[in-house]
Amino acid sequence: MKRLTALLVVLSCILTGFNVFAAGTYDSVITSGYVESEKVGNIFSKTDENIKFTQSYKNESSAKANIQSVYRVLDEDGELVKEYPSQNVEIPAGGTMSLEFVVENPDKYGLYTLEIENVLSINGESYSKTYEEGFSVCITLDENNVDPNFGFA
């Protein structure tokens, strides 16, 4: 009798589209792509006005999902440079979405970390995950500031 009841519950979930989260984690619901930029190695120059990153998301569930993303820039010591307003997106069941994170140039040479904190809400449950992506801001070389004694490998 218990097996029949369990079988009927599973069958009911399948037929009604009710999503059962086996692992109960962010990764069991959302597949996220890499945080990417158009610059090779995420190396930006001090003259770049804005620094843009994108990340894609795929909703693996059979219910719509909401993601609230808060992103911030940290310097090489882990100190907060700037926090940006949150973005809220809705991803339909089985759908995909790409978010763009635009960061003001820190206007200072150095190494930085883009930290993206996502809170996923689906079927009354909440999950969170934080992504980190490094980037750098460096000097732009031109004929006025090139040192002929400095070599490149």
Side-chain angles (χ1 to χ4, degrees), residues 32-47:
S32 301
Y34 294 107
V35 178
E36 300 176 313
S37 74
E38 294 179 358
K39 301 281 187 162
V40 175
N42 296 334
I43 301 171
F44 298 89
S45 74
K46 196 173 174 184
T47 58

Side-chain angles (χ1 to χ4, degrees), residues 72-138:
R72 56 189 69 88
V73 173
L74 308 172
D75 67 13
E76 58 193 62
D77 296 322
E79 297 295 321
L80 181 66
V81 175
K82 183 161 185 178
E83 185 167 320
Y84 294 86
S86 65
Q87 296 184 47
N88 297 305
V89 294
E90 183 177 291
I91 305 173
T96 59
M97 176 74 63
S98 185
L99 281 179
E100 186 174 86
F101 304 97
V102 180
V103 175
E104 292 174 17
N105 194 318
D107 201 31
K108 182 179 173 188
Y109 307 126
L111 303 173
Y112 298 91
T113 301
L114 172 67
E115 184 179 82
I116 303 169
E117 182 182 339
N118 289 333
V119 176
L120 165 71
S121 300
I122 186 166
N123 290 337
E125 299 287 329
S126 291
Y127 307 96
S128 64
K129 185 165 186 172
T130 300
Y131 298 90
E132 291 184 349
E133 185 65 31
F135 69 97
S136 63
V137 176
C138 64

